[in-house]
Amino acid sequence: MSNPVVGILGGGQLGSMLSIAAKKLGIRTIIYCEDKDGPAQYFANEYMVGDYKNEKKLSEFADKVDLITYEFENIPFDTLKFLNNKKKVLPDPKINKIIQNRLSEKDFLNKCDIRTTNYAYIKNDGDLDSNLNLIPGILKTCTMGYDGKGQIKISNKEEIENLKIDFNNDYILEKIINLKKEVSIIITRFGHQKYEIYEPIENVHEDQILKSSKIPSDISEKLKDKCTNWASRIAEELYYIGTMCVEFFIDKNDNLFVNEIAPRVHNSGHLTINSHNISQFENHIRSICNLEKIETKKIENARMINLIGKDIEIYRNKKLNDNEFFYDYLKKNVKEKRKMGHLTILEK
Ligand code: ADP
Ligand code: MG
C-alpha cells in the first residue's frame, strides 16, 4: 500500500512540526484550519482554510485524506464526529471530548484513581461562596483555555465580590498548589501495552505560559517512575493512539498531581526533535499511520526555551553555536504572549 495522506486539523506550529515529521517519512499532509495566516501553510503539502462548522468544506477535506488527526484539542466535538464518519480520526474523538472539558477531564482522572488538585464545578456566585475551602484558587473556564487564557486567580474571599465573571461560561475552581516543580510526560501509544515514553521533562511556566523545558528533570527516581506509570495508565485507559502529554504538579511535600492532559503533541516535547532519535512528532505520525514502532532513545540532554512575543527578534539575526537549534514559527505578526519560536540547546 502506498503511504497514507494525513489530514491535520489546526494550522499552528504543532501542525508545521507534524508536517515536517511526516514529510521525512514520505507522508503527505493536508491542513484544515480556520486561520488563513496559520504557519503550517509553509510546511504542509496543502492548506485548506475553512470554518469548523462548514460541512461541505470538511467533506472536501475528508475526501482528500486517508486519516485525520488534530494539533489542538479545542476543535468542536461535532466537527470531529462528523469527520470520523468519513475517515478515521485519531486520537478518537471520544477521548477529545473528555479532555477538552476541564471538569470531565478531572472527573475521569479521579475515577482512574489518579490524583488531581481539589476542584469544584462553578456555575454561579453561590457555588463560589460554598467552595471557600478551595481559595486561594484559580477559576478556569471548563473549555477553550490554553496558555493561561480564561483563568482568574482568587487569592482571598474578599476578592470574589469584585470579580466580573461571565456565567455564560462554565468554570471549575481549583485549589492553588504550593508548587515545587512542574514536569510532563510525553507518551506515544501504538496499541495495547505498546508505548514509547520519553523521560520526564521539567517545565518552567511564567505568567501561566511555558517558558522553558529540560531533560533530565531534577526529581527523584521514585517520582519519575510514578509519573511514567500514571501516564501509561491514562493512555491505556483511553485506548489512546498517537502522542499525548500529561502535565504534572509536584508540591513542596513531593506529592504528585496530574494537572492536565493534552491529547496531542506538546510544547514541552519540542526538545525531542534534537535530543532523541525519534521526535514526539514522528512517533505521532508513526502511531496513527500504523508504521513500525522504533525504540526511542535519547541522544543528548537538552533544554528548550520558548521565544515569546518580541524575544524572537533577537534570535532572527543571532549567530548560533553548534549545539543550538533555532525554530522560527514564521507567524505573521509578533504579539505579546504569543509563542513565536523556540530555541533548543543540546547539553552534555
Ligand atoms: P493551560 O490549559 O492554559 O495550560 P493550566 O491549567 O495548565 O492551563 O495552567 C497553566 C499554568 O498555571 C500551570 O502550568 C501552572 O504553572 C499554573 N497553575 C495552574 N493551576 C494551578 C494550581 N491549581 N496550582 C498552582 N499553579 C497552577
Ligand atoms: Mg497547561
Side-chain angles (χ1 to χ4, degrees):
M1 205 188 92
S2 60
N3 281 337
V5 177
V6 173
I8 302 172
L9 296 163
Q13 62 269 21
L14 299 175
S16 306
M17 291 184 249
L18 283 169
S19 295
I20 294 167
K23 198 169 278 178
K24 189 183 142 198
L25 298 167
I27 288 171
R28 287 171 53 81
T29 51
I30 302 180
I31 302 274
Y32 186 100
C33 99
E34 294 191 324
D35 176 9
K36 70 172 177 30
D37 294 328
Q41 64 188 291
Y42 307 116
F43 301 94
N45 294 91
E46 206 179 315
Y47 188 82
M48 291 177 67
V49 181
D51 195 282
Y52 288 131
K53 298 207 162 66
N54 183 339
E55 295 193 349
K56 186 166 167 284
K57 204 112 201 212
L58 288 170
S59 300
E60 258 173 62
F61 167 66
D63 284 344
K64 291 185 191 207
V65 302
D66 295 302
L67 75 153
I68 296 167
T69 189
Y70 42 93
E71 61 102 68
F72 84 126
E73 59 271 46
N74 294 325
I75 313 246
F77 177 64
D78 286 341
T79 305
L80 297 177
K81 223 171 49 182
F82 175 80
L83 288 170
N84 201 32
N85 284 327
K86 297 179 178 291
K87 294 285 164 63
K88 192 149 199 55
V89 175
L90 289 170
D92 193 287
K94 284 199 295 269
I95 297 174
N96 198 61
K97 190 174 169 68
I98 298 172
I99 293 175
Q100 68 174 217
N101 185 303
R102 292 188 196 275
L103 182 66
S104 53
E105 179 184 33
K106 284 193 163 52
D107 288 348
F108 159 75
L109 288 164
N110 285 284
K111 221 172 62 207
C112 299
D113 239 353
I114 286 176
R115 192 189 300 122
T116 65
T117 54
N118 290 331
Y119 63 99
Y121 177 52
I122 304 288
K123 52 185 182 313
N124 52 44
D125 280 322
D127 289 339
L128 277 176
D129 292 332
S130 53
N131 284 289
L132 296 178
N133 59 317
L134 297 176
I135 290 174
I138 304 181
L139 193 66
K140 301 181 180 181
T141 51
C142 284
T143 57
M144 300 301 280
Y146 69 98
D147 288 346
K149 292 185 174 66
Q151 301 194 8
I152 306 168
K153 200 167 176 176
I154 307 178
S155 307
N156 54 58
K157 67 177 198 288
E158 287 69 40
E159 274 179 30
I160 294 179
E161 280 170 34
N162 301 322
L163 291 178
K164 289 192 181 63
I165 302 167
D166 173 7
F167 281 112
N168 290 315
N169 294 317
D170 289 355
Y171 297 87
I172 59 166
L173 177 62
E174 233 187 273
K175 181 101 178 158
I176 287 185
I177 289 197
N178 205 349
L179 283 179
K180 180 167 157 188
K181 273 191 199 298
E182 294 189 66
V183 296
S184 58
I185 291 277
I186 309 277
I187 174 168
T188 310
R189 183 174 179 273
F190 287 76
H192 181 61
Q193 297 291 345
K194 271 169 69 183
Y195 312 106
E196 289 300 333
I197 308 184
Y198 298 88
E199 68 180 67
I201 300 164
E202 183 171 332
N203 301 315
V204 174
H205 290 81
E206 273 175 30
D207 297 332
Q208 286 147 311
I209 304 178
L210 183 68
K211 182 60 198 160
S212 66
S213 298
K214 69 163 181 148
I215 47 170
S217 58
D218 184 15
I219 60 173
S220 68
E221 288 304 314
K222 201 170 143 202
L223 277 171
K224 282 185 185 175
D225 287 349
K226 196 163 177 173
C227 54
T228 307
N229 176 283
W230 282 8
S232 41
R233 264 176 54 203
I234 292 167
E236 199 60 40
E237 195 70 42
L238 293 168
Y239 299 104
Y240 197 91
I241 295 294
T243 295
M244 70 168 200
C245 173
V246 183
E247 296 179 26
F248 296 89
F249 292 150
I250 299 169
D251 76 5
K252 296 269 188 312
N253 297 319
D254 276 347
N255 293 309
L256 187 68
F257 304 80
V258 169
N259 168 25
E260 59 175 352
I261 306 168
R264 52 168 171 80
V265 288
H266 190 259
N267 192 172
S268 64
H270 288 2
L271 50 75
T272 63
I273 297 175
N274 309 96
S275 64
H276 284 70
N277 61 336
I278 314 272
S279 72
Q280 62 163 348
F281 304 99
E282 182 174 338
N283 266 329
H284 183 71
I285 300 287
R286 282 182 178 280
S287 162
I288 62 169
C289 295
N290 209 8
L291 304 182
E292 185 192 359
K293 173 172 108 55
I294 294 179
E295 191 187 343
T296 301
K297 289 186 197 143
K298 180 162 77 173
I299 304 161
E300 287 196 73
N301 289 324
R303 197 151 52 88
M304 188 258 356
I305 298 160
N306 266 342
L307 303 173
I308 296 166
K310 284 201 171 77
D311 291 1
I312 189 86
E313 284 160 3
I314 306 165
Y315 283 87
R316 280 186 173 145
N317 300 309
K318 196 167 184 266
K319 195 173 164 336
L320 299 171
N321 295 323
D322 288 349
N323 63 338
E324 293 178 328
F325 301 86
F326 168 56
Y327 297 84
D328 187 338
Y329 302 155
L330 306 177
K331 290 187 182 173
K332 260 207 169 136
N333 302 310
V334 178
K335 260 201 206 160
E336 204 195 344
K337 296 197 173 179
R338 176 181 276 181
K339 292 172 180 167
M340 300 299 299
H342 74 266
L343 180 77
T344 299
I345 306 160
L346 294 180
E347 297 179 320
K348 285 288 164 244

